[in-house]
Amino acid sequence: MRYETVIGLEVHLQLATKTKAFCGCSTKFGQRPNSQVCPVCLGFPGSLPSLNEEAFRFAIKVALALNCRIQAIVKFDRKNYYYPDLPKNFQISQYDMPLSYNGFVDIAVDGANKRIRVKRVHMEEDAGKLMHPEGEDYSLVDYNRGGMPLLEIVTEPDMSSPREAYDYLTKLKAILEYLKVSDCDMEKGSLRCDANVSIRPEGETKLGTKVELKNMNSFKGVRNALEYEVKRQDSVLEDGGKLVQETRLWDADKGITTSMRTKEEAEDYRYFPEPDLVPFVVEKEEIERIRKTLPELPEAKAARFKAAFGLSDYDAGVLTSQVDLADYFEECVKLYPNAKTVANWLMGDVMATVNEKNIDMSELALAPAAFTGLLKMIDSKAISGKMAKEVLAEAIETRIAPEEIVQKKGLSQISDAGAIESVVQGVLKKEAKTVSDYKSGKKAAFAFLVGQVMKETKGKANPAVVNEILKKSLGE
Ligand code: ADP
Ligand code: ZN
Ligand code: MG
């Protein structure tokens, strides 16, 4: 039997507001535990939440960027459950009336466009953080994270492979970064993803039994967990077994998923309307006002890059895949008009270094002016392309400007015809035997003579100029 894969993703995004979702506590990361708490986010009796307007605006921005419809009325609900990281014993969330719904994100699959439907984007608050000190018989809780504003972004089960899930997440993250509503840092937990996956016989229209995967801390982790899970489900069915609806945890070290709880053990959240937050109407004008603050998004930017700079689909796609990279590229093109050269160098050596060092473009210690200065030195033949690669690596490593490196090392290429001419004459004198070989028809001797000139100049002579002068001197 051949099976097809069905995947739906749930992303939690921490919004980068200054204060929490329903109180004035700071959201600053990495502070002393329980130093950013108040009666509201600790759920003291009698305290009242009030909605953070900035969080609301960020949420609308995301909803609009994901092509969602906005609910006419904003209503919050209580999701009830007991857990030590939740001091109120309920989480303020949205149930039957999510802030927004029916959106989409387009990804490229085999060169064609594939639309991944976004089912809903709703607002909720984060829980605190539990810590279990190793070897101790107690746990600790930090409520600084409790009450931080979150968005939950849920897709329809529209992805058909772990690869598509990975591409959707990459695209979603790019859009969210453009919006500057979150730092989208998976390591800090600002962006988290749960993946739902099932398989079904090819051609079957009914959905199979879904398994929810948790505990992945990178997009690669999501892809790996899904790949493992698809194989596991496949072999269960092949062995005549039955799949159960359950939540499984990804173990990145072992590369396996293990069961956490089955549907029978799932909690009943007894949602009900949050009585302390009165539903309110979202004015159309307010939405339009927020819409006007949306930045140019990746697809629009890619289209503009293609039209304005003559870039290929591929290049425009890569350069707009991260907002920092796109901004950097545009800065460079302002300083150095050959966009294709900028693109090639950025996507080649610069990106390779950034990836190798595992840093963000924003952390790259190479200002656009310094980088384009390097490109200008290649154009003026002050250095060769090969030298430029070395200088670039060193500039990124040492934070010293490329011009300065070239100067200090005396790297600059000799293009001055006079200087090369005298080296050529010296070589011709010393290699009289080779010269006569060449003149009697041994053409390979020419390359040897070029090599000697390069050696004399320690590789700094401009090869094109050397060729030209040598030919002239040999009477060609
Ligand atoms: P629940 O009520 O259990 O949270 P939802 O209908 O809200 O389920 O779906 C949660 C996520 O699971 C969504 O992203 C959805 O697309 C996905 N999903 C639902 N059913 C399946 C399935 N059979 N296979 C894969 N993904 C699924
Ligand atoms: Zn608070
Ligand atoms: Mg759900």
Side-chain angles (χ1 to χ4, degrees), residues 20 22-26 36-42 143 146-147:
K20 292 187 180 179
F22 302 107
C23 64
C25 289
S26 167
Q36 295 170 169
V37 292
C38 75
V40 175
C41 54
L42 289 177
Y143 289 123

Side-chain angles (χ1 to χ4, degrees), residues 228-247:
Y228 172 86
E229 185 59 21
V230 168
K231 280 201 201 102
R232 188 192 69 83
Q233 294 185 10
D234 197 280
S235 65
V236 169
L237 294 187
E238 280 306 300
D239 293 348
K242 245 183 93 141
L243 290 164
V244 287
Q245 190 172 326
E246 61 181 341
T247 301

Side-chain angles (χ1 to χ4, degrees), residues 277-350:
L277 287 162
V278 182
F280 65 93
V281 173
V282 188
E283 305 284 350
K284 287 230 161 49
E285 297 77 50
E286 172 71 356
I287 294 173
E288 290 317 306
R289 217 182 46 71
I290 296 171
R291 194 192 299 278
K292 288 206 185 78
T293 68
L294 287 180
E296 181 181 42
L297 292 171
E299 280 162 26
K301 204 183 276 293
R304 183 168 60 80
F305 278 11
K306 283 199 286 180
F309 307 123
L311 297 181
S312 67
D313 265 335
Y314 178 79
D315 290 1
V318 173
L319 291 171
T320 55
S321 64
Q322 295 168 36
V323 68
D324 289 342
L325 180 60
D327 289 348
Y328 191 90
F329 169 77
E330 278 208 280
E331 278 303 308
C332 290
V333 175
K334 274 188 209 144
L335 300 166
Y336 178 89
N338 190 339
K340 186 65 196 162
T341 305
V342 173
N344 286 345
W345 275 87
L346 267 184
M347 290 163 53
D349 286 70
V350 176

Side-chain angles (χ1 to χ4, degrees), residues 371-387:
F371 171 56
T372 51
L374 184 74
L375 300 183
K376 286 176 190 165
M377 282 191 281
I378 305 173
D379 287 352
S380 67
K381 304 220 162 39
I383 55 172
S384 67
K386 189 162 161 279
M387 288 174 186

Side-chain angles (χ1 to χ4, degrees), residues 7-161:
I7 296 167
L9 298 179
E10 293 169 277
V11 165
H12 281 95
L13 181 76
Q14 214 170 64
L15 295 173
T17 53
K18 286 182 206 70
T19 55
K20 292 187 180 179
F22 302 107
C23 64
C25 289
S26 167
T27 54
K28 201 158 170 218
F29 184 78
Q31 298 305 104
R32 192 166 51 80
N34 300 308
S35 64
Q36 295 170 169
V37 292
C38 75
V40 175
C41 54
L42 289 177
F44 281 23
S47 65
L48 285 174
S50 61
L51 177 62
N52 180 331
E53 197 183 320
E54 189 179 38
F56 171 73
R57 268 188 271 116
F58 281 4
I60 297 279
K61 265 190 163 177
V62 172
L64 292 173
L66 302 182
N67 310 291
C68 289
R69 302 196 49 169
I70 311 283
Q71 199 80 251
I73 293 172
V74 176
K75 169 189 171 246
F76 289 95
D77 300 282
R78 289 188 178 182
K79 179 177 178 177
N80 298 280
Y81 65 97
Y82 171 74
Y83 205 66
D85 61 2
L86 193 70
K88 296 202 290 263
N89 286 345
F90 64 83
Q91 176 192 29
I92 302 178
S93 181
Q94 296 188 296
Y95 185 52
D96 56 338
M97 290 172 67
L99 182 74
S100 61
Y101 53 98
N102 284 1
F104 62 84
V105 170
D106 287 339
I107 60 170
V109 178
D110 301 326
N113 214 42
K114 177 164 178 178
R115 185 150 288 185
I116 309 299
R117 290 171 298 158
V118 172
K119 186 176 175 180
R120 57 189 282 154
V121 177
H122 76 244
M123 295 182 75
E124 58 187 32
E125 59 179 336
D126 211 344
K129 203 171 179 166
L130 288 173
M131 273 154 278
H132 312 286
E134 190 138 350
E136 303 295 344
D137 59 358
Y138 59 85
S139 294
L140 296 167
V141 62
D142 176 9
Y143 289 123
N144 284 355
R145 199 179 69 181
M148 295 258 242
L150 291 184
L151 282 189
E152 184 172 326
I153 303 168
V154 184
T155 74
E156 295 289 353
D158 284 352
M159 287 151 277
S160 324
S161 68

